[in-house]
Amino acid sequence: MATKTEMMIDRLYTVNTDAEIPQSRKTLGRLILWAASALVILSFLIEGLFKAGKISFGYENWQPVLYAVMIWCLALGVFLVMTKGESGKKLLFVLPAFLFTVFMVIFPTIFGLYIAFTDWNLSAFEGQHFNGADNLVHMWHDPYFWNALANMIYYTLAIFVEYAIAFGLALLLNAEIKARKFFRVAFLLPFMLSPVAVSWMIGKSLGEYRFGPLATLARHLGWNQPAFFSTPGLARTSIMIMDAWTYIPFMLIMLLAGLQAMPKEVQEAARVDGATGWQAFWKITFPLMLPVSITAVILRVIFKLKLADIIINMTAGGPGGATDSVTSFIFREYRERSNVGYGTMLAFVYLVFIILFVTGLLKIASRWNTSGQD
Amino acid sequence: MTSLTDTIRIADVAEEKDTSAKFYFGRFFVYGALTLWTIICLFPIYWTLSTSFKVAKDVQKGAIVPWVGYMPNWKGWQSLGLSPDTIVRPSTVRDEFFKRFFNSVITSVSASLLAVLIGSLAAYGLSRFAYKIGWMRNKDISFFFLSQLILPPVVLALPFLALYKELALLDSTIGLILLYTLMVLPIVIWIMRDQFGGIPIELEEAALVDGLSIWGAFFRIVLPLAAPGMVAAFILALVLCWNEYFFAALLTSTHATTVPVMVASQTGSQGINWWSMAALSTAAIAPLVVIGVFLEKYIIKGMTAGSVK
């Protein structure tokens, strides 16, 4: 009980004047909120009835409803300040971001759930119909979706290699070197480039079969047919390498910050005790870096699960779906077949997988973190 | 006695020699690896830039060094209307490019500003006051914001397509700005929470005692102190918005398309018009390379916020 009340106390103490708010002010605040709510309901009704053909006046799109909702949000802020005083003013800090996220995520998600259970196809003449679990059944028998999910596992596993490289580079940058700033900027640059440009710069230009420098280099090294996107395995590896190229800097910077925050005395103590560099790394540096490493890897996994741009622009999922990520597959499902209903269902199934996977990952990570501190 | 000290001295010298050989080998290895990775990072950028100055036969030769392997010329930039001789003449390609470019600038700058504005307010509130919205307390509200990070864009993309159509926001810059704000908001809140957590509360308490309101204390005391963090959050958001392709490809068609969409459509359609593709790619990545070189400090600050305690 004590902890519960403690939790409700602000860290920044303020004088509470809520009791002094006159009743008339509270009533006015309520009136404003009621008026705004009425406005939203009214605009919604007019628009809905107009679209349904029941009344003859209305607007050609739903934008007025959007404005009404925005006015309602403002009214909510005014209402909070007028009725709750100081604590209302405190709520105003978090309210804009909160309302924005709720409106931008919750409503589309609810709407998306509805779409997911329809056979909506943009190229079909009749509108959408509720079709129950048909999309789920279709998904169950769709080898390309499961193939894309399997690809995501490969792509995610590639993070371990990226992590090893990033850690190695972070160690190098943390060593006593000259021109550290130059190297840091150079190493950061790939992260700044748009994946679309990268897929042209590396995939289509550097890796061009006949005269790209990468192909030429491969020929010099004894590989006669350096076609980087010909076989499924090769194509997948090439996508992984391009994605790694853009995102290694991300992990590298986080790991470098972790290394720099580590107290120097620990390393020195290990050296005094006669540990070799290898031992010092595995017994001291690596365990101390575990929390930072876990944060970096989890963030990287989250970004990896959204992987699509490079695939859409480089291989469009080919050859034979070998490089498809779930996102790029759904993108084409919509772009090429206009299957909005089915695509949305796939996206929601993917979301469920992601939530389960990331929650599991966080659980494991927190267990590791606590056991590491013992 | 003397022989013993001599032996020790000799042993010492030998060991020193050994370590110095090892030292130089280590240096060699460190700088070798650093140089190799620098080449891996910079060569694709250099290749793209240099290809924009090549003609077909130079590209096919695989020439790398200008003036030795090939003679640079403005062909790529001519096709984009940005070479010295074409820059004064009217060019439809250049107009098209600048239209996309300004779309990108407006979209990413507005989205980043909006995200930093509402994200900073929320992060400040969460770091100073105890809230209760419905059943949600501070921890739940923070989690609610940060959990948006794992939401894959595909989940929202198709519902937004349908919703925006009804709201007449399809192919509009405003629609894109709203989505991008949503996309970077969790990252901004993550960075700013870390930033406000590092500012001592006593400063605001003193301001409150001096008669400022909580909002006054926020604007006059806290905001100036948190400015570097806000810049870091803004720059990182800017980079992410500038590079975004997925939503832009789905939700825009003619008016609001951004630079990545233009680059992507060119790669698909033109086949092998190397020099103009290279010029376009160079122009598309140039702003970010400049930001990366000059504002590297802020990007690193943004990326490492909250990861190191």
Side-chain angles (χ1 to χ4, degrees):
Chain A
M1 195 61 206
T3 51
K4 222 175 189 180
T5 45
E6 213 169 47
M7 261 175 64
M8 278 307 289
I9 292 172
D10 298 338
R11 278 185 66 210
L12 178 62
Y13 180 75
T14 49
V15 182
N16 207 336
T17 52
D18 296 357
E20 297 159 20
I21 298 171
Q23 196 57 42
S24 60
R25 191 175 130 178
K26 282 189 181 175
T27 323
L28 187 61
R30 269 189 214 111
L31 266 177
I32 290 173
L33 187 67
W34 281 113
S37 307
L39 188 69
V40 171
I41 294 167
L42 191 70
S43 65
F44 201 85
L45 270 180
I46 291 177
E47 196 56 36
L49 289 173
F50 177 66
K51 286 275 161 174
K54 297 270 198 274
I55 52 174
S56 55
F57 60 96
Y59 312 98
E60 52 198 292
N61 57 52
W62 287 84
Q63 238 172 40
V65 182
L66 187 69
Y67 295 132
V69 170
M70 282 161 73
I71 292 171
W72 184 83
C73 291
L74 275 179
L76 182 66
V78 174
F79 161 78
L80 284 173
V81 173
M82 290 186 89
T83 55
K84 296 195 170 173
E86 203 69 8
S87 68
K89 280 184 197 160
K90 287 174 193 165
L91 261 175
L92 283 189
F93 278 107
V94 84
L95 205 62
F98 187 77
L99 288 176
F100 180 80
T101 314
V102 167
F103 281 119
M104 290 291 282
V105 173
I106 307 294
F107 284 123
T109 309
I110 294 169
F111 186 57
L113 267 178
Y114 159 73
I115 300 175
F117 288 98
T118 64
D119 61 352
W120 193 2
N121 187 311
L122 287 183
S123 58
F125 285 111
E126 63 237 67
Q128 66 264 42
H129 304 286
F130 185 76
N131 69 349
D134 278 11
N135 284 336
L136 276 173
V137 175
H138 186 188
M139 181 197 82
W140 188 254
H141 297 292
D142 189 346
Y144 285 104
F145 174 67
W146 297 106
N147 168 59
L149 263 182
N151 283 338
M152 287 319 294
I153 296 173
Y154 290 125
Y155 287 135
T156 310
L157 286 177
I159 291 174
F160 286 108
V161 181
E162 289 175 26
Y163 170 71
I165 296 173
F167 207 125
L169 291 169
L171 285 174
L172 286 178
L173 276 185
N174 195 42
E176 278 171 32
I177 52 165
K178 291 201 169 73
R180 181 179 295 139
K181 186 162 160 55
F182 165 76
F183 286 117
R184 216 171 46 195
V185 172
F187 289 6
L188 177 70
L189 276 183
F191 180 71
M192 310 286 296
L193 309 185
S194 95
V196 179
V198 168
S199 62
W200 186 81
M201 287 162 60
I202 297 185
K204 292 198 174 160
S205 173
L206 276 174
E208 148 71 34
Y209 177 68
R210 283 162 298 167
F211 41 75
L214 267 183
T216 315
L217 184 70
R219 280 202 186 87
H220 277 299
L221 293 174
W223 182 16
N224 286 323
Q225 302 285 326
F228 297 106
F229 294 94
S230 54
T231 68
L234 263 179
R236 204 180 294 129
T237 315
S238 304
I239 295 281
M240 282 176 192
I241 291 174
M242 280 157 67
D243 188 47
W245 188 77
T246 23
Y247 271 101
I248 280 178
F250 173 76
M251 283 208 274
L252 162 65
I253 297 295
M254 291 186 80
L255 292 171
L256 181 61
L259 283 175
Q260 283 170 344
M262 200 154 47
K264 288 268 180 291
E265 293 80 18
V266 189
Q267 296 280 349
E268 277 160 20
R271 203 163 303 140
V272 169
D273 286 351
T276 63
W278 189 248
Q279 280 172 328
F281 174 75
W282 282 112
K283 302 268 177 194
I284 297 180
T285 313
F286 190 73
L288 279 176
M289 286 289 288
L290 207 56
V292 182
S293 298
I294 289 171
T295 315
V297 168
I298 288 178
L299 282 175
R300 178 69 187 101
V301 167
I302 289 170
F303 280 116
K304 188 73 136 188
L305 292 173
K306 300 177 181 176
L307 171 70
D309 297 0
I310 292 179
I311 298 165
I312 292 169
N313 283 296
M314 204 49 240
T315 62
T323 54
D324 245 340
S325 73
V326 175
T327 308
S328 76
F329 176 68
I330 298 171
F331 182 81
R332 278 182 300 117
E333 189 65 35
Y334 164 70
R335 260 293 157 92
E336 287 163 17
R337 290 180 279 278
S338 307
N339 259 334
V340 175
Y342 181 53
T344 310
M345 176 55 96
L346 292 185
F348 273 90
V349 172
Y350 185 47
L351 177 64
V352 171
F353 279 131
I354 286 185
I355 290 174
L356 290 178
F357 178 64
V358 174
T359 316
L361 214 58
L362 289 173
K363 277 258 160 63
I364 297 172
S366 67
R367 191 165 302 165
W368 265 11
N369 257 346
T370 45
S371 72
Q373 277 161 12
D374 287 343
Chain B
M1 195 61 199
T2 40
S3 71
L4 186 63
T5 44
D6 275 357
T7 345
I8 290 172
R9 195 175 300 140
I10 289 164
D12 266 1
V13 170
E15 202 176 297
E16 230 162 60
K17 242 188 188 161
D18 179 45
T19 50
S20 79
K22 226 171 143 184
F23 174 79
Y24 281 113
F25 180 74
R27 291 280 92 172
F28 180 75
F29 171 78
V30 166
Y31 283 105
L34 284 170
T35 314
L36 178 69
W37 194 260
T38 310
I39 293 171
I40 291 177
C41 287
L42 296 186
F43 185 72
I45 300 172
Y46 169 74
W47 174 256
T48 310
L49 178 67
S50 65
T51 302
S52 69
F53 294 102
K54 291 173 191 169
V55 293
K57 71 174 191 337
D58 299 328
V59 181
Q60 278 157 20
K61 263 197 318 198
I64 287 174
V65 190
W67 288 287
V68 178
Y70 68 98
M71 277 310 287
N73 75 37
W74 288 99
K75 196 138 190 194
W77 296 94
Q78 262 164 16
S79 68
L80 207 59
L82 285 171
S83 69
D85 55 320
T86 50
I87 195 116
V88 285
R89 273 182 260 152
S91 152
T92 46
V93 187
R94 187 183 57 220
D95 293 345
E96 170 84 5
F97 174 73
F98 274 125
K99 198 176 147 201
R100 305 304 170 226
F101 191 86
F102 284 118
N103 275 343
S104 269
V105 171
I106 291 169
T107 312
S108 43
V109 169
S110 324
S112 308
L113 276 180
L114 188 60
V116 168
L117 179 74
I118 63 177
S120 303
L121 290 179
Y124 179 74
L126 285 171
S127 76
R128 293 297 190 267
F129 308 118
Y131 291 115
K132 195 163 172 282
I133 304 178
W135 83 98
M136 294 166 99
R137 294 182 186 269
N138 276 28
K139 236 179 107 190
D140 309 308
I141 300 170
S142 287
F143 181 76
F144 168 71
F145 283 133
L146 295 182
S147 66
Q148 306 304 324
L149 201 60
I150 68 165
L151 196 70
V154 269
V155 173
L156 291 180
L158 299 183
F160 261 105
L161 190 78
L163 275 178
Y164 272 12
K165 210 173 185 178
E166 295 296 322
L167 290 168
L169 284 175
L170 210 56
D171 197 14
S172 74
T173 308
I174 305 264
L176 220 48
I177 290 173
L178 290 177
L179 256 177
Y180 284 4
T181 306
L182 180 73
M183 179 180 80
V184 294
L185 191 60
I187 298 165
V188 170
I189 290 181
W190 169 289
I191 295 172
M192 291 317 293
R193 216 176 45 157
D194 188 58
Q195 187 71 22
F196 289 127
I199 295 175
I201 281 181
E202 288 76 16
L203 287 175
E204 292 135 81
E205 282 170 350
L208 291 182
V209 169
D210 286 349
L212 280 177
S213 67
I214 41 174
W215 280 81
F218 174 71
F219 280 115
R220 300 199 16 206
I221 311 289
V222 183
L223 219 49
L225 289 173
M230 291 174 86
V231 174
F234 176 76
I235 303 274
L236 196 61
L238 197 67
V239 172
L240 291 172
C241 291
W242 182 277
N243 289 337
E244 210 283 337
Y245 170 73
F246 189 80
F247 283 127
L250 269 183
L251 299 176
T252 66
S253 48
T254 47
H255 298 297
T257 40
T258 54
V259 171
V261 181
M262 185 186 181
V263 174
S265 68
Q266 298 292 312
T267 34
S269 64
Q270 272 187 324
I272 204 142
N273 198 348
W274 289 86
W275 43 89
S276 64
M277 239 351 269
L280 181 59
S281 299
T282 309
I285 63 173
L288 286 186
V289 171
V290 172
I291 288 181
V293 170
F294 290 103
L295 301 174
E296 171 249 15
K297 200 179 81 185
Y298 289 107
I299 295 164
I300 288 180
K301 189 179 161 70
M303 280 161 79
T304 53
S307 65
V308 185
K309 294 261 159 62

Coordinates of all heavy atoms in Angstrom, one line a residue, chain B residues 20-65:
Chain B
S20 N 57.6 -4.6 -28.2 CA 57.5 -3.5 -29.2 C 57.3 -4.1 -30.6 O 56.5 -3.5 -31.4 CB 58.8 -2.7 -29.2 OG 59.8 -3.4 -29.9
A21 N 57.9 -5.3 -30.9 CA 57.6 -6.0 -32.2 C 56.1 -6.3 -32.2 O 55.4 -6.0 -33.2 CB 58.4 -7.2 -32.3
K22 N 55.6 -6.8 -31.1 CA 54.2 -7.2 -31.0 C 53.3 -5.9 -31.1 O 52.3 -5.9 -31.8 CB 54.0 -7.8 -29.6 CG 53.1 -9.1 -29.6 CD 53.1 -9.7 -28.3 CE 51.8 -10.3 -27.9 NZ 51.8 -10.8 -26.6
F23 N 53.9 -4.8 -30.5 CA 53.1 -3.6 -30.5 C 53.0 -3.1 -32.0 O 51.9 -2.8 -32.4 CB 53.9 -2.5 -29.7 CG 53.4 -1.2 -29.8 CD1 52.3 -0.8 -29.0 CD2 54.0 -0.2 -30.6 CE1 51.8 0.5 -29.1 CE2 53.4 1.1 -30.7 CZ 52.3 1.4 -29.9
Y24 N 54.1 -3.2 -32.7 CA 54.0 -2.7 -34.1 C 53.1 -3.6 -35.0 O 52.3 -3.1 -35.8 CB 55.4 -2.5 -34.7 CG 56.0 -1.3 -34.3 CD1 57.2 -1.3 -33.5 CD2 55.5 0.0 -34.6 CE1 57.7 -0.1 -33.0 CE2 56.0 1.2 -34.2 CZ 57.1 1.1 -33.4 OH 57.7 2.3 -32.9
F25 N 53.2 -4.9 -34.7 CA 52.3 -5.8 -35.4 C 50.8 -5.5 -35.1 O 50.0 -5.4 -36.0 CB 52.6 -7.2 -35.0 CG 51.7 -8.2 -35.7 CD1 52.0 -8.5 -37.1 CD2 50.7 -8.8 -35.1 CE1 51.1 -9.4 -37.8 CE2 49.9 -9.7 -35.8 CZ 50.1 -10.0 -37.1
G26 N 50.6 -5.2 -33.8 CA 49.2 -4.9 -33.4 C 48.7 -3.6 -34.1 O 47.6 -3.6 -34.6
R27 N 49.6 -2.6 -34.1 CA 49.2 -1.3 -34.7 C 48.9 -1.6 -36.2 O 47.9 -1.1 -36.7 CB 50.4 -0.3 -34.7 CG 50.7 0.2 -33.3 CD 49.8 1.3 -33.0 NE 48.7 0.8 -32.2 CZ 47.8 1.5 -31.7 NH1 47.8 2.8 -31.7 NH2 46.7 1.0 -31.0
F28 N 49.8 -2.4 -36.8 CA 49.6 -2.7 -38.3 C 48.2 -3.3 -38.5 O 47.5 -3.0 -39.4 CB 50.7 -3.6 -38.7 CG 50.6 -4.0 -40.2 CD1 50.9 -3.1 -41.2 CD2 50.2 -5.2 -40.5 CE1 50.8 -3.4 -42.5 CE2 50.1 -5.6 -41.9 CZ 50.4 -4.7 -42.9
F29 N 47.9 -4.3 -37.6 CA 46.7 -5.0 -37.8 C 45.5 -4.0 -37.5 O 44.5 -4.0 -38.3 CB 46.6 -6.1 -36.7 CG 45.3 -6.8 -36.7 CD1 44.8 -7.7 -37.6 CD2 44.4 -6.5 -35.6 CE1 43.6 -8.3 -37.6 CE2 43.1 -7.0 -35.6 CZ 42.7 -7.9 -36.5
V30 N 45.6 -3.2 -36.5 CA 44.5 -2.3 -36.2 C 44.2 -1.3 -37.3 O 43.1 -1.2 -37.8 CB 44.8 -1.5 -34.9 CG1 43.8 -0.3 -34.7 CG2 44.7 -2.4 -33.7
Y31 N 45.3 -0.7 -37.8 CA 45.1 0.3 -38.9 C 44.7 -0.4 -40.2 O 43.9 0.2 -41.0 CB 46.3 1.2 -39.1 CG 46.4 2.2 -38.0 CD1 47.3 2.1 -37.0 CD2 45.5 3.3 -38.0 CE1 47.4 3.1 -36.0 CE2 45.6 4.3 -37.0 CZ 46.5 4.1 -36.0 OH 46.5 5.1 -35.0
G32 N 45.2 -1.6 -40.4 CA 44.8 -2.3 -41.6 C 43.3 -2.6 -41.6 O 42.6 -2.4 -42.6
A33 N 42.8 -3.1 -40.5 CA 41.4 -3.5 -40.4 C 40.6 -2.2 -40.5 O 39.5 -2.2 -41.2 CB 41.1 -4.2 -39.1
L34 N 41.0 -1.1 -39.9 CA 40.2 0.1 -39.9 C 40.2 0.6 -41.4 O 39.1 1.1 -41.9 CB 40.9 1.2 -39.0 CG 40.6 1.1 -37.5 CD1 41.5 2.0 -36.8 CD2 39.2 1.3 -37.2
T35 N 41.3 0.6 -42.1 CA 41.4 1.1 -43.5 C 40.5 0.2 -44.3 O 39.7 0.7 -45.2 CB 42.8 1.0 -44.0 OG1 43.6 1.6 -43.0 CG2 42.9 1.8 -45.3
L36 N 40.5 -1.1 -44.1 CA 39.7 -2.0 -44.9 C 38.2 -1.7 -44.8 O 37.5 -1.5 -45.8 CB 39.9 -3.5 -44.5 CG 39.1 -4.5 -45.3 CD1 39.5 -4.6 -46.7 CD2 39.2 -5.9 -44.6
W37 N 37.8 -1.5 -43.5 CA 36.4 -1.2 -43.3 C 36.0 0.2 -43.8 O 34.9 0.4 -44.3 CB 36.0 -1.3 -41.9 CG 34.5 -1.4 -41.7 CD1 33.7 -0.3 -41.3 CD2 33.6 -2.5 -42.0 NE1 32.4 -0.7 -41.4 CE2 32.3 -2.0 -41.8 CE3 33.9 -3.8 -42.4 CZ2 31.2 -2.9 -42.0 CZ3 32.8 -4.6 -42.6 CH2 31.5 -4.2 -42.4
T38 N 37.0 1.2 -43.8 CA 36.7 2.5 -44.3 C 36.4 2.4 -45.8 O 35.5 3.0 -46.4 CB 37.9 3.4 -44.1 OG1 38.2 3.4 -42.7 CG2 37.6 4.8 -44.5
I39 N 37.3 1.5 -46.5 CA 37.1 1.3 -47.9 C 35.7 0.7 -48.2 O 34.9 1.2 -49.1 CB 38.2 0.5 -48.5 CG1 39.5 1.2 -48.4 CG2 37.9 0.1 -49.9 CD1 40.7 0.4 -48.8
I40 N 35.3 -0.3 -47.4 CA 34.0 -0.9 -47.6 C 32.9 0.1 -47.4 O 31.9 0.1 -48.1 CB 33.9 -2.1 -46.6 CG1 34.8 -3.2 -46.9 CG2 32.4 -2.6 -46.6 CD1 34.8 -4.4 -46.0
C41 N 33.1 1.0 -46.5 CA 32.0 2.0 -46.2 C 32.0 3.1 -47.3 O 30.9 3.5 -47.7 CB 32.2 2.7 -44.9 SG 31.8 1.6 -43.5
L42 N 33.1 3.5 -47.7 CA 33.2 4.7 -48.6 C 33.2 4.4 -50.1 O 32.8 5.2 -50.9 CB 34.4 5.6 -48.2 CG 34.4 6.2 -46.9 CD1 35.6 7.1 -46.7 CD2 33.1 6.9 -46.6
F43 N 33.7 3.2 -50.4 CA 33.8 2.9 -51.9 C 32.5 3.0 -52.6 O 32.4 3.6 -53.7 CB 34.5 1.6 -52.1 CG 34.8 1.3 -53.6 CD1 35.8 2.1 -54.2 CD2 34.0 0.4 -54.3 CE1 36.0 1.9 -55.6 CE2 34.2 0.2 -55.7 CZ 35.2 1.0 -56.3
P44 N 31.4 2.4 -52.1 CA 30.1 2.5 -52.8 C 29.7 4.0 -53.1 O 29.2 4.3 -54.1 CB 29.1 1.8 -51.9 CG 29.9 0.8 -51.2 CD 31.3 1.5 -50.9
I45 N 30.0 4.8 -52.1 CA 29.6 6.2 -52.2 C 30.5 6.9 -53.3 O 30.0 7.6 -54.2 CB 29.7 7.0 -50.9 CG1 28.8 6.3 -49.9 CG2 29.4 8.4 -51.1 CD1 29.0 6.9 -48.5
Y46 N 31.8 6.6 -53.2 CA 32.7 7.1 -54.2 C 32.4 6.6 -55.6 O 32.4 7.4 -56.6 CB 34.2 6.7 -53.9 CG 35.1 7.0 -55.0 CD1 35.5 8.3 -55.3 CD2 35.6 6.0 -55.8 CE1 36.4 8.6 -56.3 CE2 36.5 6.2 -56.9 CZ 36.9 7.5 -57.1 OH 37.7 7.8 -58.1
W47 N 32.1 5.3 -55.7 CA 31.7 4.7 -57.0 C 30.5 5.4 -57.6 O 30.5 5.7 -58.8 CB 31.5 3.2 -56.9 CG 31.0 2.5 -58.1 CD1 29.7 2.1 -58.3 CD2 31.7 2.2 -59.2 NE1 29.6 1.5 -59.5 CE2 30.9 1.5 -60.1 CE3 33.1 2.3 -59.6 CZ2 31.3 1.1 -61.4 CZ3 33.5 1.9 -60.8 CH2 32.6 1.2 -61.7
T48 N 29.5 5.6 -56.8 CA 28.3 6.3 -57.3 C 28.6 7.7 -57.8 O 28.2 8.1 -58.9 CB 27.2 6.3 -56.2 OG1 27.1 5.1 -55.7 CG2 25.9 6.8 -56.7
L49 N 29.3 8.4 -57.0 CA 29.7 9.8 -57.3 C 30.5 9.8 -58.6 O 30.2 10.6 -59.6 CB 30.5 10.4 -56.2 CG 31.0 11.9 -56.5 CD1 29.8 12.8 -56.6 CD2 32.0 12.3 -55.4
S50 N 31.5 8.9 -58.8 CA 32.4 8.9 -59.9 C 31.6 8.4 -61.2 O 31.8 8.9 -62.3 CB 33.6 8.1 -59.7 OG 33.3 6.7 -59.5
T51 N 30.7 7.5 -61.0 CA 29.9 7.0 -62.2 C 29.1 8.1 -62.8 O 28.8 8.1 -64.0 CB 29.0 5.8 -61.8 OG1 29.9 4.8 -61.2 CG2 28.3 5.3 -63.0
S52 N 28.7 9.1 -62.0 CA 27.9 10.2 -62.5 C 28.7 11.0 -63.5 O 28.1 11.9 -64.2 CB 27.2 11.0 -61.4 OG 28.3 11.7 -60.8
F53 N 30.0 10.9 -63.5 CA 30.8 11.6 -64.4 C 31.4 10.8 -65.6 O 32.3 11.2 -66.2 CB 32.0 12.3 -63.7 CG 31.6 13.3 -62.7 CD1 31.5 13.0 -61.3 CD2 31.2 14.6 -63.1 CE1 31.1 14.0 -60.4 CE2 30.8 15.5 -62.2 CZ 30.7 15.2 -60.9
K54 N 30.8 9.6 -65.7 CA 31.3 8.7 -66.8 C 30.4 8.5 -67.9 O 29.2 8.7 -67.8 CB 31.6 7.3 -66.2 CG 32.7 7.2 -65.2 CD 32.7 5.8 -64.5 CE 33.6 5.8 -63.3 NZ 33.5 4.5 -62.6
V55 N 30.9 8.1 -69.1 CA 30.1 7.8 -70.2 C 30.1 6.2 -70.3 O 30.8 5.6 -69.6 CB 30.6 8.4 -71.6 CG1 30.4 9.9 -71.6 CG2 32.0 7.9 -71.8
A56 N 29.2 5.7 -71.2 CA 29.0 4.2 -71.2 C 30.3 3.4 -71.2 O 30.4 2.5 -70.5 CB 28.1 3.9 -72.4
K57 N 31.2 3.8 -72.1 CA 32.4 3.0 -72.2 C 33.3 3.0 -71.0 O 33.9 2.0 -70.7 CB 33.2 3.3 -73.5 CG 33.9 4.6 -73.5 CD 34.7 4.7 -74.8 CE 35.8 5.8 -74.8 NZ 35.7 7.0 -74.0
D58 N 33.2 4.1 -70.3 CA 34.0 4.2 -69.0 C 33.4 3.2 -68.0 O 34.1 2.6 -67.2 CB 34.0 5.6 -68.5 CG 34.7 6.6 -69.4 OD1 35.6 6.1 -70.1 OD2 34.2 7.7 -69.4
V59 N 32.1 3.2 -68.0 CA 31.4 2.3 -67.0 C 31.8 0.9 -67.3 O 32.1 0.1 -66.5 CB 29.9 2.5 -67.0 CG1 29.2 1.6 -66.0 CG2 29.6 4.0 -66.7
Q60 N 31.7 0.5 -68.6 CA 32.0 -0.8 -69.0 C 33.4 -1.3 -68.8 O 33.7 -2.4 -68.5 CB 31.6 -1.1 -70.5 CG 30.1 -1.3 -70.6 CD 29.6 -0.9 -72.0 OE1 30.4 -0.9 -73.0 NE2 28.3 -0.7 -72.1
K61 N 34.3 -0.3 -68.9 CA 35.7 -0.6 -68.6 C 35.9 -0.9 -67.1 O 36.9 -1.5 -66.7 CB 36.6 0.6 -69.0 CG 37.3 0.4 -70.3 CD 38.5 1.4 -70.6 CE 38.2 2.8 -70.0 NZ 39.1 3.8 -70.6
G62 N 35.0 -0.4 -66.3 CA 35.1 -0.5 -64.8 C 36.2 0.5 -64.3 O 36.9 0.2 -63.3
A63 N 36.3 1.6 -65.0 CA 37.4 2.6 -64.6 C 37.0 3.2 -63.3 O 35.9 3.4 -62.9 CB 37.4 3.7 -65.7
I64 N 38.1 3.4 -62.5 CA 37.9 3.9 -61.1 C 38.5 5.2 -60.9 O 37.9 6.1 -60.3 CB 38.5 2.8 -60.1 CG1 37.5 1.6 -60.1 CG2 38.6 3.4 -58.7 CD1 38.1 0.5 -59.3
V65 N 39.7 5.5 -61.3 CA 40.4 6.7 -61.0 C 40.1 7.7 -62.1 O 40.4 7.5 -63.3 CB 41.9 6.5 -60.9 CG1 42.6 7.7 -60.3 CG2 42.2 5.2 -60.1

